[in-house]
Amino acid sequence: MGRSPCCEKAHTNKGAWTKEEDQRLVAYIKAHGEGCWRSLPNAAGLLRCGKSCRLRWINYLRPDLKRGNFTEEEDKLIIKLHQLLGNKWSLIAGRLPGRTDNEIKNYWNTHIKRKLLASGLDPKTHRPLNTTATPSARHQEHLAHSSCSPETSGAGHSSDDDSASVPHLGGIDLNLSLRPPSQPSSPPPPRQEAEATSSATAADA
DNA sequence: AACTCCTCCAACCGCAATTCG
DNA sequence: CCGAATTGCGGTTGGAGGAGT
């Protein structure tokens, strides 16, 4: 139809963002607000596709981003939320003010995953690993060494049978109005779920 | 001191969901 | 109501920096 396609424009930059690009993007969004990513690059004088601009803003330039190390509480919260929601990073991020889905995803893959592995838990299921099925002993050993703090082995869990129970994190109110993924009672209304999350997010800010 | 391997983070890619003409 | 365009999400990759040999 009359609409032009997303980001197949001839000259769009890729790769790392320059300071100038960042400045342009920030300045534009400050002046005009978020949204309309499709037309933003043109309007802001950026040779990027809208997708790229959105990602850069969400993950890096937004002023309300926390950035920096995750606290022990955030750590536990992520584990618990992942236990409930699975790889729904955007939902998890919705419960962690100042954190982005990408950041949490990275943090999960680099730190938490191995933390769980080191303590003998399957990061996917949050259940004890079948030690006989160890795929790579060397890797495992590596993981065990690298980021295994003393309290790790007991960190976010008590036993396997609590894997589905709603957490009672010390001091952290999850306030989840979400269903665990293992509840197929109704066909997925995905985006609404996200909204419910974000509205709940305000509560723990 | 130089080289190699490993880790981490930012960004890209493709797909699914939602919105709009 | 249908189909195309746009947005958002999750998985994956590439490169920079650091640690170890």
Side-chain angles (χ1 to χ4, degrees):
Chain A
M1 288 195 175
R3 292 167 143 190
S4 43
C6 167
C7 40
E8 288 158 28
K9 292 283 190 237
H11 337 70
T12 47
N13 291 341
K14 282 189 175 185
W17 279 64
T18 65
K19 274 190 177 172
E20 195 193 338
E21 284 178 313
D22 281 348
Q23 285 168 2
R24 277 177 188 267
L25 181 55
V26 170
Y28 183 87
I29 290 178
K30 273 185 181 168
H32 301 90
E34 288 184 50
C36 213
W37 299 108
R38 164 74 175 81
S39 56
L40 185 149
N42 236 349
L46 287 163
L47 292 173
R48 295 272 178 176
C49 75
K51 225 173 171 179
S52 182
C53 293
R54 176 184 163 274
L55 202 69
R56 182 64 177 171
W57 172 255
I58 300 273
N59 288 330
Y60 202 83
L61 298 174
R62 252 170 41 194
D64 56 321
L65 288 180
K66 231 183 229 177
R67 309 198 63 75
N69 295 339
F70 282 75
T71 66
E72 189 64 28
E73 283 204 340
E74 285 176 314
D75 225 78
K76 289 177 184 171
L77 184 52
I78 291 169
I79 292 171
K80 278 299 175 187
L81 287 169
H82 185 272
Q83 191 175 339
L84 286 167
L85 303 168
N87 293 2
K88 299 291 177 192
W89 306 116
S90 62
L91 291 182
I92 295 174
R95 313 290 313 167
L96 288 148
R99 302 296 188 185
T100 72
D101 52 355
N102 203 38
E103 191 179 13
I104 292 171
K105 180 171 60 180
N106 279 334
Y107 186 65
W108 176 269
N109 286 325
T110 55
H111 292 86
I112 300 183
K113 215 168 170 180
R114 63 177 56 160
K115 191 168 164 181
L116 292 179
L117 282 171
S119 55
L121 290 174
D122 184 340
K124 276 185 184 168
T125 62
H126 295 257
R127 292 173 180 279
L129 282 166
N130 234 349
T131 45
T132 51
T134 318
S136 145
R138 179 179 159 256
H139 206 162
Q140 289 283 329
E141 199 184 0
H142 217 98
L143 300 178
H145 285 317
S146 45
S147 77
C148 177
S149 50
E151 88 273 35
T152 298
S153 42
H157 62 98
S158 44
S159 65
D160 58 324
D161 60 357
D162 81 340
S163 57
S165 65
V166 176
H168 52 85
L169 290 166
I172 299 180
D173 178 17
L174 285 176
N175 192 19
L176 284 172
S177 52
L178 297 160
R179 309 180 278 310
S182 56
Q183 192 142 15
S185 55
S186 63
R191 304 277 166 163
Q192 286 175 1
E193 214 175 44
E195 276 171 27
T197 310
S198 54
S199 62
T201 301
D204 57 21

